[in-house]
Amino acid sequence: MKTRTAAFPFRKLSPNWKKNPRNNANGLYSEYTPAKAQPRRGFLCLFLHTLLWLWQANPILAAQAAAPLKIATWNMDWLLDATAPSSLTAPSDIPHRTASDFAKLAAYAQHLNADIIGFQEVDSLETAARIFPASTYQIFLTQDPIIQHTGLAVRRDLRITLNPDVTSLTIGSGAASHPLRSGLDATLYYGASKVRLLVVHLKTGCWDNPPTDRGHSCPILVQQFSALQRWVADRQKQREDFIIMGDFNRRMTRDDPFFGRLSHIAPLDLTTAGWASPCENGTYFIDHILLGGNSIDWKIPHSLHVLTYNRQETSTLSDHCAVSVKLLIPSSSQQ
């Protein structure tokens, strides 16, 4: 659950970042692509025709273009089974959902239509399966003995294995008002490519304060980023391609010192950099997808999307919107 705060001052992201997203014809869903100034239509058409020609002329690119993977992150906002005994340990002010609310969330998940979803704040496999049906997705959760988990929903035709949870992200839990969450670590096998996936949900409160701030949960977030630094360094040492996604509870930009602690270890693509989110009528991204290794080159340009909710929506959904990008992962050993 996030707390809305006043926008912090930094360079202007986009002149229309609070523009109302366009709804589709039935008015239920809107998948919004953040956009800066648009190129002239004639130039855009020429660019697209040129890109298509290059794909057709290059068999490797053509093969990649046939099977893009959509990667998403989505904080589900205290999604739990209210009848489970563990729900008694949840705060009293969390969202309370009906069967209809679950059904509407599942409809949004179907519209999202992602191949891999890193999610946060879900209590059990059974609850996750109400949103991401087991007929379509494999579902994985961390082993934390708490009510909030990070997890993965992965299409059944994709091969994936779990690695040990990144429990180092729970460091400082004794000083936190709520237990901290481990990161879910998995390996995706796609053709000849192997990609490490890490799903995180970091400590809230240190939205844009400097690392030296002794309040606002910043000391805990510093420790968590140190754990992420070690994880990235291990990937760099093993020459592994990787993706980190989740709720960072941090308004990261390329100039953010917290992001700098990671990009100093290895080159990274902060896919949300330079944009603000249309979620909740305009806010800054705290949900991010970071690409490392060859995955930086796999990103489809301008594929960043935010799945926003209908403005007249009355269901209890989430205070976060799903954020996604698309990748063209090589199916052969040529990269």
Side-chain angles (χ1 to χ4, degrees), residues 32-234:
Y32 178 90
T33 305
K36 293 182 180 177
Q38 296 297 316
R40 295 180 62 182
R41 186 178 301 273
F43 175 81
L44 179 59
C45 291
L46 177 62
F47 172 77
L48 291 176
H49 281 294
T50 303
L51 184 61
L52 177 61
W53 180 85
L54 288 173
W55 278 354
Q56 292 173 337
N58 189 320
I60 296 177
L61 291 177
Q64 290 177 341
L69 284 182
K70 188 174 185 179
I71 313 293
T73 180
W74 194 2
N75 185 319
M76 307 302 296
D77 189 16
W78 287 99
L79 190 70
L80 51 83
D81 178 3
T83 66
S86 60
S87 67
L88 298 176
T89 64
S92 60
D93 60 346
I94 67 170
H96 297 281
R97 295 181 176 88
T98 65
S100 176
D101 295 331
F102 271 89
K104 185 57 68 72
L105 274 171
Y108 275 99
Q110 183 178 19
H111 182 75
L112 176 65
N113 194 32
D115 299 289
I116 298 174
I117 306 101
F119 57 83
Q120 303 84 37
E121 297 195 24
V122 177
D123 69 338
S124 68
L125 293 170
E126 293 75 18
T127 297
R130 297 179 67 178
I131 310 302
F132 309 106
S135 59
T136 303
Y137 291 101
Q138 313 165 66
I139 300 176
F140 307 95
L141 289 183
T142 55
Q143 300 302 307
D144 294 327
I146 58 177
I147 198 170
Q148 284 190 348
H149 296 268
T150 54
L152 266 176
V154 182
R155 287 201 185 275
R156 288 202 165 275
D157 58 347
L158 297 176
R159 182 188 168 202
I160 195 161
T161 59
L162 287 183
N163 303 308
D165 292 345
V166 182
T167 57
S168 55
L169 291 174
T170 66
I171 190 168
S173 284
S177 56
H178 296 290
L180 300 179
R181 284 83 37 164
S182 296
L184 189 143
D185 189 338
T187 302
L188 170 69
Y189 300 88
Y190 189 82
S193 299
K194 184 173 69 172
V195 188
R196 286 290 285 269
L197 306 174
L198 180 62
V199 184
V200 302
H201 185 189
L202 304 184
K203 177 60 180 172
T204 187
C206 189
W207 307 104
D208 47 59
N209 307 72
T212 54
D213 193 322
R214 303 309 299 172
H216 305 93
S217 304
C218 293
I220 294 176
L221 193 64
V222 166
Q223 294 180 74
Q224 290 184 314
F225 266 78
S226 294
L228 289 179
Q229 284 179 280
R230 293 190 293 271
W231 190 89
V232 170
D234 288 341

Side-chain angles (χ1 to χ4, degrees), residues 230-273:
R230 293 190 293 271
W231 190 89
V232 170
D234 288 341
R235 306 289 74 74
Q236 185 81 340
K237 182 178 179 181
Q238 300 297 324
R239 297 185 178 180
E240 293 179 308
D241 307 319
F242 62 91
I243 301 171
I244 308 176
M245 64 185 112
D247 181 356
F248 286 75
N249 274 311
R250 180 75 185 177
R251 298 163 179 151
M252 287 197 298
T253 67
R254 293 189 184 95
D255 299 324
D256 178 50
F258 279 85
F259 176 69
R261 293 184 175 208
L262 301 181
S263 60
H264 176 74
I265 303 297
L268 296 173
D269 182 352
L270 176 62
T271 60
T272 54

